[in-house]
């Protein structure tokens, strides 16, 4: 449980890592360390060290968290943590709401003012970014990113490794296959048959996944 965590190892130091730090601090976690191969000598963020890599396991009562915005990089970070048997955090903002019966798997980030509806199921190491809505009975697959202010209406489904852009909407009971990218503001009005990149209102395929 996050309420017993004294410190957090954050894997990566991109923009998403800063959002993680913001929520972690709101949860009362004061000790943060970032690791990024591009870290500069003596780099820090609000007094928290940024180093090139972690050596050995985390201290007692510390947990680890994957901070890559890219879904596949976040998968690699998660597998690195779990392969070593280190504790993988789940970070849920105190301003987020989680409905009755909803489940959120380890490694997932739920940002400020998100809503996860009743009986929703959220997979491993997902990003539910600031202000997004995942309504009742929705399913979100592993390593999927739901961007700022995106909305999944009731009983909709996202596969694994999906990217749903800022302000995108998935209408009730629609499904989006694995590996699909939906651009900002896209509206999914029917279930998508093939993976690829979609844009527009209603969504249209502009690039199949195989290209």
């Amino acid at each position: 449980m996050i309420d017993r965590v004294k410190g957090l190892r954050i894997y990566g130091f991109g923009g998403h890592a800063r959002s993680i730090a913001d929520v972690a601090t709101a949860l009362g976690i004061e000790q943060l360390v970032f690791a990024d191969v591009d870290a500069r000598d003596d780099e820090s963020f609000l007094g928290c060290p940024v180093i090139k890599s972690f050596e050995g396991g985390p201290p007692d009562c510390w947990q680890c968290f994957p901070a890559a915005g890219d879904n596949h990089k976040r998968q690699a970070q998660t597998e690195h943590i779990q392969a070593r048997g280190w504790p993988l955090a789940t970070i849920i903002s105190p301003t987020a709401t989680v409905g009755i019966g909803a489940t959120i798997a380890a490694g997932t980030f739920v940002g400020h003012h998100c809503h996860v509806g009743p009986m929703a199921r959220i997979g491993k190491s997902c990003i539910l970014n600031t202000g997004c809505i995942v309504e009742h009975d929705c399913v979100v697959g592993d390593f999927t990113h739901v961007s700022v202010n995106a909305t999944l209406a009731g009983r909709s489904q996202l596969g694994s490794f999906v990217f749903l852009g800022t302000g995108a909407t998935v209408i009730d009971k629609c499904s989006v296959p694995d590996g699909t990218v939906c651009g900002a503001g896209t509206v999914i009005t029917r279930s998508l048959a093939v993976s690829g990149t979609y844009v527009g209102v209603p969504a249209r395929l502009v690039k199949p996944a195989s290209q």
Side-chain angles (χ1 to χ4, degrees), residues 19 22-24 26 92-96 109-115 128-132:
S19 296
D22 185 43
V23 171
I92 302 173
S93 168
T95 66
F109 171 82
V110 182
H112 293 313
H113 307 294
C114 290
H115 174 67
L128 304 186
N129 229 325
T130 307
C132 74

Side-chain angles (χ1 to χ4, degrees), residues 15-79:
H16 182 52
R18 291 159 170 77
S19 296
I20 292 166
D22 185 43
V23 171
T25 300
L27 290 168
I29 302 173
E30 297 180 355
Q31 299 183 68
L32 308 175
V33 180
F34 304 83
D36 193 296
V37 294
D38 296 321
R40 302 186 303 272
D41 292 342
D42 299 320
E43 187 169 9
S44 66
F45 177 70
L46 299 178
C48 301
V50 183
I51 60 179
K52 289 188 178 295
S53 64
F54 294 120
E55 301 296 335
D60 290 342
C61 298
W62 280 59
Q63 293 189 1
C64 304
F65 201 79
D70 177 270
N71 291 334
H72 290 280
K73 291 181 180 178
R74 196 167 61 260
Q75 177 193 28
Q77 291 171 340
T78 300
E79 292 176 349

